Every structure is written in structure tokens, then in C-alpha cells.
Amino acid sequence: MREDRRRRYDDGFRREALELIKSGAGKDTLARRLAIPVYTARNWIGLYRSNGEEAVMGGGGSRRYDWETKVAYLKAKVAYLEKLRALRASKSRGASEAPSSDCSQGGDTGSATS
């Protein structure tokens, strides 16, 4: 029979991760401080944002998530990506609306000749 190579995290370890998440640690910081894979850190942060502490802690030793938890996680992820997209769009609009330095519109060319 094949050995299950997935790492199991006890409740104390997950509580430590939750404290870091609550303090604002991102996926890279969380992964580095706890020596866990970045994808695990990203998943825990997403679960916390969508369903709170209980989602990260799991239920009764089983780390399987019900359908509603998975859907809430994906909705939170989509909302976050839409927020980023809107922010990026507003920044690019702001850059395109910046005054141009085109001298052909009668502006000062900087020459000192009279």
C-alpha cells in the first residue's frame, strides 16, 4: 500500500498560523516563518478570509472541506481578483490621463533664444 506523504498539521500549529494570518502576514511570510509550502499558506489565508478560523482548523481531525466552504473560498478569491483588476485599471487610466510633455502644443520648449 502506498504511504500517505502529505504532512499533517496539528491544532497548535494551525493556531500559530492563524495568529500570523490575523496579524496580516501574507502567503510568503507565513510559508517562510512556519516552513510550510506557499500553496498551503495561500489556501489557509483564503479559507480564513472566506470562512474564518474554523475553516483553517478543519473539523474533527478531518481536513476535508464541505461544498459551501469551497464555494465561499472561491467567491472570496474572485472578489479579491476583481478588486485588484479595478485597482490596476484605475492606475492605468491615471497614467494615460497624465499631462503629456509634447512640445508641439505650444508649450515652453526650454530654449533660451530671443
Side-chain angles (χ1 to χ4, degrees), residues 13-66:
F13 188 84
R14 287 173 180 259
R15 279 190 204 94
E16 186 179 347
L18 278 169
E19 291 306 315
L20 289 169
I21 293 169
K22 288 178 188 178
S23 70
K27 65 179 174 24
D28 295 322
T29 302
L30 187 64
R32 190 176 336 102
R33 299 267 301 277
L34 298 177
I36 60 174
V38 174
Y39 63 84
T40 300
R42 182 183 61 233
N43 287 341
W44 286 358
I45 291 169
L47 285 169
Y48 176 74
R49 287 180 181 162
S50 62
N51 285 13
E53 293 182 25
E54 286 301 313
V56 176
M57 294 303 292
S62 171
R63 302 300 181 208
R64 304 270 183 221
Y65 301 107
D66 63 2

Side-chain angles (χ1 to χ4, degrees), residues 64-95:
R64 304 270 183 221
Y65 301 107
D66 63 2
W67 178 255
E68 289 79 20
T69 301
K70 291 177 182 179
V71 169
Y73 171 75
L74 291 175
K75 284 181 179 179
K77 197 170 199 174
V78 167
Y80 176 73
L81 292 173
E82 287 174 349
K83 187 175 174 182
L84 284 178
R85 184 180 304 133
L87 181 63
R88 183 173 289 159
S90 69
K91 283 185 177 181
S92 67
R93 269 195 310 267

